[in-house]
Amino acid sequence: MHIVADSDRQIVEKVRSGNSRTYALLVDRHKERAMTLALRLLGSKEEAEELVQDAFLRAYKNLDTFRGDAKFSTWLYRILYNLCMTKVTRRKGKMEHLEEEDRMTKTMLVDDEEISIQERIEHEEITKLVATEIESLPEKLKTVILLFYVQDMSYDEMSAVMNIPVGSVKTYLHRGRNMLRQRVLSQLKGEVSLT
Amino acid sequence: MNGHCSPSEIQDYVTGVLSPADRHRCEEHFARCRSCRSTLHAVTRIDLALRSIPVERVSPNFTQNVMNRISRELNAPLAFKVLEKLAHLFALFIVLAMLLTIVVVTGVVDVQQIGEGQSVVEQFLSGQASAVSGAIAGFSSWLAEYAPFAFGSGSLGITGAILTVVTLLALLDRFLSRRLIH
């Protein structure tokens, strides 16, 4: 027998009609991707897990306000993103922010010098490098990269999650990729010059 | 212009958002430029790496923890739920009261007009109290005159009116909470 899983919207309807235990299905379905976003934004597994729980709880409490014109996941990520940003903003001191800006400026000045690195690029190595470099991106650039590549979201969905225009999403994505590419290439260039 | 494809163009080529004409131009260029091919290779690998970022695992009892928290919310005492719903409103009242106190104490409002012999705060509080009682009296007489069928008269009418006001405040608070969530 072929069993078709309920869509998010169907589960939401069931929860709204009083079957609150069905909400566990939504939690199971989205917890790991939500955790990926939160962990990358916050850096601490404990904090990230607590915040993801908070996001699920808030989503549940406000489920009657979920209009259904967007995906449940988009709505959930928006709540989670707001929680993460509040946390990050509180945590970040002004000095740290200035250091970040300084680092960004320096990175932007790195030339797009072409390096003969073909032989050195191994998938695992570059994946590790990319994962490390994502951590150091500014929050907004990091968020769009994660929403696009990990959550597989469209520009419209990312715009809804971050509450910014689609044009800004595209700009952030462009800047994020450029910055990431420059950082990864400059790391590889450093490794090449060491050998 | 040296004819090289810019890194942004190469990124767009990999993402598949380059126009057909630019795509064709880049492909022709890649065929004869080792440097751009090298960048293309790097960008493609970075793109692949981004698409293969692993999702993070949560603790084994994560879902159960969320459901337990939901259960606690559902079974919370009614008084707690009411207070929680009105929390934003209480906070707003406190902030407003503080602002008004500051306005009076700093002399933005002419204290002489309020009267001498009593402290500014006492004057302020008594002013607020008489304003509130005046408002209640006015509201109650308005009810008695215009809405006797809705709330009745006397203490029953006042109780009904207070309940209505509280409900309206709760609805306002609910609206504000939603705005904060979204």
Side-chain angles (χ1 to χ4, degrees):
Chain A
M1 198 176 103
H2 183 65
I3 299 170
V4 180
D6 282 345
S7 69
D8 284 359
R9 200 161 295 178
Q10 286 170 314
I11 297 173
V12 167
E13 284 312 315
K14 283 184 181 175
V15 177
R16 275 173 171 168
S17 59
N19 188 356
S20 62
R21 297 177 77 171
T22 324
Y23 191 68
L25 292 173
L26 282 178
V27 177
D28 275 336
R29 198 172 280 180
H30 297 287
K31 61 186 178 187
E32 287 178 347
R33 285 182 185 276
M35 182 66 182
T36 308
L37 178 66
L39 183 57
R40 297 280 175 185
L41 287 174
L42 298 171
S44 147
K45 186 153 186 166
E46 289 73 28
E47 275 185 334
E49 190 157 320
E50 196 183 325
L51 234 59
V52 175
Q53 280 192 21
D54 289 348
F56 276 114
L57 190 64
R58 279 197 187 203
Y60 179 87
K61 285 164 76 176
N62 293 279
L63 213 54
D64 54 334
T65 69
F66 173 60
R67 292 182 295 272
D69 46 5
K71 286 182 190 169
F72 172 79
S73 56
T74 308
W75 187 64
L76 172 73
Y77 287 130
R78 182 165 179 176
I79 296 172
L80 179 61
Y81 175 72
N82 287 339
L83 286 172
C84 287
M85 284 300 107
T86 308
K87 191 94 174 173
V88 167
T89 312
R90 278 184 195 157
R91 190 203 288 167
K92 232 180 187 176
K94 197 176 179 182
M95 281 308 288
E96 205 178 333
H97 181 67
L98 290 174
E99 281 168 13
E100 175 98 45
E101 294 286 324
D102 189 34
R103 199 164 62 236
M104 269 177 71
T105 315
K106 281 178 184 163
T107 311
M108 296 300 272
L109 294 173
V110 173
D111 285 338
D112 273 319
E113 190 181 335
E114 311 307 342
I115 319 144
S116 178
I117 50 168
Q118 254 168 306
E119 299 80 15
R120 293 200 57 81
I121 299 175
E122 292 300 328
H123 186 66
E124 276 183 28
E125 182 194 5
I126 213 160
T127 304
K128 212 181 288 177
L129 204 52
V130 164
T132 312
E133 289 302 326
I134 282 180
E135 301 290 336
S136 60
L137 288 177
E139 271 75 28
K140 283 187 175 165
L141 306 191
K142 197 189 301 182
T143 305
V144 288
I145 293 270
L146 289 169
L147 293 179
F148 186 81
Y149 287 102
V150 180
Q151 321 292 348
D152 212 18
M153 282 189 176
S154 67
Y155 292 141
D156 285 336
E157 287 170 334
M158 292 195 282
S159 157
V161 168
M162 298 175 74
N163 200 23
I164 55 174
V166 171
S168 304
V169 169
K170 289 180 180 173
T171 306
Y172 286 144
L173 192 58
H174 183 75
R175 283 178 59 196
R177 280 176 182 145
N178 278 350
M179 205 176 281
L180 200 59
R181 190 187 65 249
Q182 285 164 351
R183 287 181 181 186
V184 170
L185 287 181
S186 75
Q187 287 280 335
L188 287 168
K189 184 187 170 188
E191 283 181 24
V192 169
S193 65
L194 284 172
T195 55
Chain B
M1 193 179 159
N2 58 13
H4 285 300
C5 299
S6 70
S8 300
E9 274 182 319
I10 295 176
Q11 178 66 63
D12 289 347
Y13 176 84
V14 171
T15 317
V17 293
L18 213 56
S19 70
D22 287 337
R23 188 173 183 83
H24 182 68
R25 182 177 53 78
C26 282
E27 279 170 354
E28 280 190 336
H29 182 74
F30 293 146
R32 60 175 189 277
C33 177
R34 188 171 185 273
S35 170
C36 284
R37 268 204 313 277
S38 174
T39 308
L40 172 66
H41 186 71
V43 170
T44 308
R45 301 307 289 265
I46 291 170
D47 209 66
L48 270 175
L50 281 167
R51 288 180 197 282
S52 54
I53 291 173
V55 290
E56 298 293 337
R57 301 271 168 245
V58 293
S59 58
N61 49 354
F62 180 89
T63 305
Q64 193 53 50
N65 287 343
V66 173
M67 296 312 288
N68 287 345
R69 286 179 69 180
I70 288 173
S71 176
R72 277 201 296 275
E73 287 282 333
L74 290 174
N75 299 321
L78 183 64
F80 179 78
K81 286 182 186 170
V82 171
L83 282 175
E84 194 187 22
K85 297 276 181 222
L86 293 173
H88 294 129
L89 202 62
F90 286 143
L92 187 68
F93 276 145
I94 290 168
V95 171
L96 282 176
M98 285 171 70
L99 281 174
L100 282 169
T101 310
I102 290 167
V103 164
V104 172
V105 171
T106 52
V108 177
V109 171
D110 188 1
V111 181
Q112 295 303 318
Q113 286 181 358
I114 297 174
E116 291 177 1
Q118 282 184 298
S119 77
V120 173
V121 177
E122 279 174 347
Q123 286 282 352
F124 173 70
L125 291 177
S126 68
Q128 296 305 306
S130 45
V132 169
S133 58
I136 289 175
F139 189 54
S140 131
S141 61
W142 178 84
L143 281 174
E145 191 172 351
Y146 295 104
F149 299 109
F151 298 108
S153 56
S155 60
L156 191 63
I158 292 171
T159 310
I162 289 170
L163 282 175
T164 308
V165 171
V166 169
T167 309
L168 287 173
L169 289 177
L171 285 172
L172 174 70
D173 183 68
R174 185 80 180 140
F175 172 74
L176 290 174
S177 304
R178 284 180 188 181
R179 300 282 297 181
L180 287 172
I181 287 289
H182 299 295

